[in-house]
C-alpha cells in the first residue's frame, strides 16, 4: 500500500487525537470542513505530506500493513560539516544546516484489510509536535501546493507562478495557510524538475539514424518539404527543410538574403544553417533551414555554389542602401538567439526541429501581421494639421512613421525661430531625404509657408526675422571689409559709431520691458 492510498481512503483520523492519545480515533465525515481546517485537524495526506517522513514499515501475513511516520524535524541524519583541508576561510563555501532532533513526534498508520479501516495513533507514547505547521512549510511545501505549481510551471516565470498559485489557492481552494510561505526559489526548483519531464520527447532516440527518421517524419507532419542529402566523397550529410509558405518568399525575395549558422543546438553537434529573406513590407522572415554534420569549409563553399553572384563581386551587406538599409545580420542572429534559449545541447535533432517549427510559426504570424498593417494601419499625431495627416496616410504605414516624425519637427523649428530653408524646388539634400527619398522637415517647412498653412501672424514674424537677419549680415560684412583694410583707427571709429547707434535702441527696449 502506498502512502498516497492513505489520503484517498474515506476514513480519515483526527490529528488532535493522534498526538494526545494512544488509541485510534476515526472520523467518518469531513465534508463540512474547509481545507485549512481539514489540514489542521485531519490527516489529509496531500495537505500534510511535507510534515511526515516514513520511518519504517511492515506487512503482516494476513495482509495488514503498518507504517510508522516521523516528523520532518526529527532529521535522523545529521548534516555533513566536512571541510577541505588547507583551504582558506574566505574561499570555503558557506552553507546552512538544520539541527536534528528538534521534534520527536511519531505516528503509526495501520491498514486493517478485514475491516477496511485505517487506524492512526501515537507511536509508543511519542511527544507532541514542538512547532507550528508554518515552520514546516518554510522547509518544504505539501504535495497539494507542489501540484498547483507544476500545473502553472509550463506557462509563466517563477514570480508570476508564485503570485498565481497564492491567489488561486487562497481564493478558490481556501488554502491560504498552506501557500503563505511559498517562495520563488522553491517554485524555480519545481519548475526546473517539471521542465525536465516535459522535455523528454525532445531528447529523441539515442540512435542517430532513428533520430533523423523521426525528425523527418515530424517535419513532414508539419507540412514541411524535407530532403535528406549525403556527399559521400566528403563524408557530409544533413537535412534540408522548408515550409511551403517560406519557400514562396524564398523564391520571390531571394535576391536579398542573409545566411548564418549556429552550433550547440543538439548532442550530435550538427551545425544549423538558416536563410533569411526580407519581403516588400520590410519584414524579415525565414526562408529555409538545413543541418550539416561536417561544417569544415562547408559554409564558404556552399555559399559560392548556391549564390554565384558572390564570384562576380555583387554581394554586399548594404547592396541597396536607399531601399533596404541592410547594415548587419542582426535579424538572423536574433532568430538563432531565440532558438538557443529554448534548446539544449543534450537534445536530439527531433528536439531542435520541434523548436524550429514553433519559432517559424511565430515568424510567419508576425510577417502576416506586418503585411496587414502595411496598408491598413494609420498613424496619428497630436498638433499636426488634418490636411497634412491625410496626405501622410496615403503612404504605407512604415513610411507614415518616418514622415510623421519629420512633420512634428516643424513645430519645434518654428518655435525656435528658424527661418525657411529657402528651397527653390521640392528637393533637399539632408540625410533623411537622401536616405529614404521621402519628404523631410525642410520640405514640409517650405510647403507650409508657400501654401499659406501658416497664419498671418506667423508670416509677419517670419518676415521680421528675415529683416533682422539681413541687417545683421550687412553690419557683419561691413565690419570685416573695414577690418581687412588694416586701418585700426578707421575700424575703431566704425565700432564706436555702431555702439553709439545701437546702445540707445537696446536701452530703450530694456526699459520698456522692465515697465511691462
Amino acid at each position: 500500500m502506498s502512502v498516497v492510498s492513505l489520503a484517498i481512503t474515506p476514513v480519515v483520523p483526527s490529528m488532535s487525537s493522534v498526538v494526545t492519545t494512544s488509541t485510534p480515533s476515526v472520523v467518518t465525515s469531513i465534508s463540512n470542513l474547509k481545507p485549512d481546517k481539514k489540514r489542521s485537524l485531519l490527516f489529509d495526506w496531500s495537505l500534510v505530506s511535507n510534515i511526515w517522513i516514513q520511518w519504517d514499515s511492515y506487512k503482516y501475513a494476513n495482509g495488514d500493513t503498518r507504517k510508522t511516520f516521523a516528523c520532518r524535524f526529527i532529521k535522523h541524519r545529521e548534516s555533513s560539516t566536512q571541510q577541505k583541508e588547507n583551504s582558506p576561510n574566505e574561499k570555503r563555501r558557506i552553507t546552512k544546516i538544520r539541527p536534528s532532533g528538534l521534534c520527536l513526534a511519531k505516528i503509526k498508520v495501520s491498514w486493517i484489510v478485514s475491516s477496511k479501516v485505517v487506524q492512526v495513533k501515537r507511536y509508543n507514547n511519542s511527544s507532541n509536535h514542538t512547532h507550528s505547521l508554518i515552520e514546516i512549510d518554510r522547509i518544504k511545501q505539501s504535495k497539494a501546493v507542489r501540484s498547483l505549481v507544476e500545473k502553472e510551471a509550463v506557462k509563466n516565470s517563477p514570480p508570476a507562478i508564485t503570485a498565481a498559485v497564492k491567489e488561486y489557492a487562497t481564493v478558490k481552494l481556501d488554502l491560504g495557510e498552506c501557500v503563505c510561505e511559498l517562495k520563488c526559489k522553491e517554485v524555480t526548483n519545481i519548475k526546473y524538475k517539471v521542465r525536465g519531464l516535459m522535455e523528454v520527447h525532445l531528447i529523441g532516440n539515442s540512435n542517430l539514424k532513428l533520430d533523423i527518421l523521426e525528425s523527418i517524419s515530424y517535419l513532414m507532419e508539419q507540412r514541411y518539404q524535407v530532403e535528406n542529402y549525403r556527399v559521400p566523397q566528403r563524408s557530409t550529410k544533413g537535412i534540408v527543410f522548408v515550409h511551403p509558405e517560406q519557400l514562396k518568399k524564398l523564391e520571390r525575395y531571394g535576391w536579398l538574403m542573409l545566411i548564418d549558422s549556429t552550433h550547440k543546438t543538439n548532442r550530435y553537434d550538427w551545425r544549423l544553417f538558416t536563410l533569411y529573406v526580407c519581403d516588400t513590407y520590410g519584414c524579415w522572415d525565414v526562408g529555409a533551414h538545413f543541418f550539416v554534420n561536417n561544417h569544415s569549409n562547408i559554409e564558404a563553399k556552399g555559399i559560392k555554389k548556391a549564390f554565384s553572384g558572390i564570384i562576380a563581386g555583387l554581394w554586399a551587406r548594404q547592396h541597396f542602401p536607399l531601399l533596404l538599409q541592410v547594415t548587419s545580420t542582426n535579424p538572423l542572429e536574433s532568430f538563432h538567439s531565440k532558438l538557443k534559449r529554448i534548446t539544449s545541447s543534450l537534445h536530439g535533432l527531433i528536439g531542435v526541429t520541434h523548436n524550429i517549427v514553433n519559432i517559424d510559426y511565430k515568424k510567419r504570424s508576425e510577417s502576416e501581421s506586418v503585411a496587414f498593417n502595411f496598408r491598413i494601419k494609420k498613424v496619428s499625431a497630436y498638433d499636426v494639421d488634418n490636411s497634412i495627416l491625410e496626405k501622410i496616410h496615403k503612404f504605407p504605414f512604415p513610411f507614415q512613421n518616418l514622415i510623421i516624425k519629420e512633420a512634428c519637427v516643424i513645430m519645434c523649428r518654428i518655435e525656435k525661430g528658424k527661418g525657411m530653408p529657402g528651397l527653390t524646388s521640392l528637393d533637399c539634400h539632408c540625410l533623411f531625404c537622401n536616405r529614404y527619398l521621402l519628404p523631410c522637415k525642410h520640405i514640409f517647412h517650405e510647403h507650409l509657408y508657400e501654401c499659406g498653412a501658416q497664419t498671418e501672424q506667423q508670416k509677419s514674424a517670419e518676415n521680421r526675422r528675415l529683416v533682422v537677419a539681413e541687417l545683421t549680415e550687412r553690419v557683419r560684412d561691413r565690419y570685416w571689409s573695414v577690418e581687412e583694410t588694416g586701418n585700426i583707427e578707421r575700424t575703431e571709429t566704425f565700432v564706436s559709431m555702431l555702439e553709439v547707434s545701437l546702445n540707445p535702441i537696446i536701452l530703450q527696449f530694456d526699459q520698456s520691458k522692465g515697465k511691462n
Side-chain angles (χ1 to χ4, degrees):
M1 179 187 64
S2 65
V3 175
V4 177
S5 64
L6 293 173
I8 62 176
T9 53
V11 183
V12 184
S14 168
M15 288 291 293
S16 58
S17 300
V18 170
V19 296
T20 57
T21 65
S22 59
T23 58
S25 176
V26 178
V27 179
T28 58
S29 177
I30 60 173
S31 58
N32 295 328
L33 295 178
K34 293 183 178 181
D36 275 340
K37 188 67 174 178
K38 186 190 306 181
R39 177 173 182 256
S40 302
L41 300 178
L42 308 178
F43 189 78
D44 188 334
W45 190 259
S46 64
L47 298 176
V48 297
S49 59
N50 57 329
I51 298 177
W52 304 105
I53 56 175
Q54 185 170 315
W55 189 264
D56 60 17
S57 64
Y58 185 78
K59 187 172 184 177
Y60 299 95
N62 62 355
D64 293 352
T65 302
R66 184 262 303 166
K67 290 187 178 183
T68 304
F69 294 89
C71 177
R72 184 171 297 277
F73 275 119
I74 198 170
K75 194 185 177 185
H76 54 285
R77 292 182 182 179
E78 293 188 4
S79 301
S80 174
T81 58
Q82 182 180 2
Q83 296 181 347
K84 293 183 179 180
E85 297 180 357
N86 302 323
S87 178
N89 291 333
E90 62 271 11
K91 291 188 177 181
R92 289 179 180 175
R93 183 181 178 186
I94 300 176
T95 59
K96 296 180 180 180
I97 62 173
R98 179 163 48 87
S100 59
L102 296 179
C103 182
L104 301 179
K106 290 183 181 179
I107 57 174
K108 182 172 72 173
V109 181
S110 302
W111 172 253
I112 304 174
V113 177
S114 59
S115 58
K116 297 182 180 181
V117 171
V118 175
Q119 290 183 339
V120 181
K121 60 182 179 181
R122 188 195 305 269
Y123 179 78
N124 291 343
N125 295 320
S126 63
S127 63
N128 293 338
H129 286 289
T130 59
H131 54 85
S132 64
L133 289 170
I134 293 180
E135 293 179 72
I136 284 286
D137 292 337
R138 291 170 181 166
I139 299 175
K140 187 179 180 66
Q141 290 295 327
S142 65
K143 183 178 179 181
V145 176
R146 294 175 68 88
S147 298
L148 292 176
V149 174
E150 289 175 0
K151 291 178 180 179
E152 293 291 324
V154 297
K155 304 176 184 177
N156 303 311
S157 61
I161 295 173
T162 305
V165 169
K166 284 187 175 182
E167 180 180 1
Y168 182 80
T170 303
V171 177
K172 299 292 184 180
L173 304 179
D174 196 19
L175 291 175
E177 293 183 4
C178 289
V179 296
C180 64
E181 294 297 327
L182 182 63
K183 299 295 188 295
C184 286
K185 183 177 181 180
E186 187 168 4
V187 171
T188 302
N189 294 336
I190 297 174
K191 181 179 176 67
Y192 180 79
K193 294 177 182 178
V194 173
R195 180 182 176 183
L197 297 175
M198 292 170 54
E199 293 184 348
V200 171
H201 68 287
L202 302 178
I203 302 299
N205 201 300
S206 58
N207 184 291
L208 175 58
K209 185 176 181 179
L210 294 177
D211 193 6
I212 294 174
L213 293 177
E214 291 177 358
S215 301
I216 294 176
S217 177
Y218 173 74
L219 289 169
M220 294 179 68
E221 289 176 2
Q222 303 300 318
R223 296 180 56 245
Y224 276 75
Q225 298 182 23
V226 190
E227 182 177 344
N228 191 3
Y229 67 90
R230 178 184 295 272
V231 184
Q233 61 271 25
R234 296 186 180 277
S235 301
T236 301
K237 58 183 177 181
I239 308 172
V240 181
F241 53 99
V242 58
H243 193 274
E245 295 298 324
Q246 294 167 338
L247 183 59
K248 293 178 182 178
K249 291 191 174 183
L250 186 63
E251 294 173 345
R252 185 173 180 181
Y253 310 116
W255 48 271
L256 173 71
M257 189 181 306
L258 302 179
I259 180 171
D260 197 9
S261 63
T262 186
H263 62 292
K264 294 184 179 180
T265 60
N266 56 88
R267 62 172 176 266
Y268 307 110
D269 199 25
W270 280 30
R271 184 70 64 92
L272 172 67
F273 286 78
T274 302
L275 304 181
Y276 235 47
V277 295
C278 184
D279 59 22
T280 53
Y281 307 106
C283 181
W284 287 97
D285 199 358
V286 177
H289 306 277
F290 60 93
F291 283 109
V292 178
N293 73 319
N294 181 9
H295 51 269
S296 176
N297 296 323
I298 293 296
E299 183 174 2
K301 293 181 180 180
I303 293 175
K304 288 183 178 180
K305 183 177 180 180
F307 311 103
S308 56
I310 191 173
I311 301 175
L314 297 178
W315 72 282
R317 278 192 170 185
Q318 199 169 356
H319 190 53
F320 291 97
L322 293 179
L323 299 178
L324 303 173
Q325 305 299 321
V326 181
T327 57
S328 71
T329 58
N330 287 346
L332 179 51
E333 291 171 2
S334 176
F335 176 90
H336 285 159
S337 178
K338 291 179 182 178
L339 177 64
K340 296 190 76 170
R341 280 200 296 267
I342 60 175
T343 305
S344 169
S345 58
L346 301 178
H347 290 172
L349 293 177
I350 182 66
V352 190
T353 53
H354 268 273
N355 293 329
I356 290 175
V357 168
N358 292 335
I359 300 180
D360 280 2
Y361 176 77
K362 292 181 180 179
K363 290 299 300 181
R364 289 197 300 272
S365 299
E366 290 175 3
S367 63
E368 291 175 1
S369 176
V370 171
F372 177 79
N373 292 333
F374 190 80
R375 295 293 183 187
I376 302 300
K377 203 168 183 181
K378 304 296 182 184
V379 73
S380 177
Y382 174 74
D383 208 20
V384 176
D385 192 83
N386 290 333
S387 61
I388 298 178
L389 280 176
E390 290 177 1
K391 301 295 183 182
I392 296 177
H393 288 164
K394 295 181 180 180
F395 287 89
F397 183 68
F399 295 156
Q400 294 179 31
N401 288 323
L402 294 173
I403 298 173
I404 199 66
K405 294 178 181 178
E406 296 293 298
C408 291
V409 173
I410 298 174
M411 302 307 299
C412 296
R413 286 179 58 85
I414 296 175
E415 289 177 1
K416 292 179 181 179
K418 292 187 177 181
M420 291 186 303
L423 301 177
T424 58
S425 64
L426 291 180
D427 187 18
C428 186
H429 299 287
C430 68
L431 178 61
F432 179 87
C433 196
N434 285 336
R435 187 177 187 183
Y436 297 109
L437 301 181
L438 294 172
C440 63
K441 54 180 174 288
H442 309 104
I443 295 178
F444 272 115
H445 196 168
E446 189 78 22
H447 174 74
L448 283 175
Y449 186 84
E450 295 296 333
C451 294
Q454 290 180 311
T455 63
E456 291 299 327
Q457 185 178 1
Q458 289 174 325
K459 289 182 180 180
S460 299
E462 184 75 22
N463 291 330
R464 289 193 296 269
R465 282 192 291 268
L466 290 176
V467 172
V468 173
E470 181 184 357
L471 291 174
T472 304
E473 186 176 355
R474 289 172 59 187
V475 171
R476 185 175 59 250
D477 291 343
R478 183 53 57 93
Y479 164 76
W480 284 112
S481 65
V482 175
E483 180 74 32
E484 290 173 357
T485 61
N487 190 332
I488 299 177
E489 183 179 353
R490 188 181 181 194
T491 304
E492 291 180 350
T493 302
F494 178 83
V495 174
S496 299
M497 292 177 63
L498 184 62
E499 287 181 342
V500 171
S501 301
L502 291 179
N503 284 337
I505 300 175
I506 296 174
L507 181 61
Q508 180 181 354
F509 279 92
D510 285 344
Q511 291 176 351
S512 61
K513 182 179 179 181
K515 293 179 180 180
N516 294 335

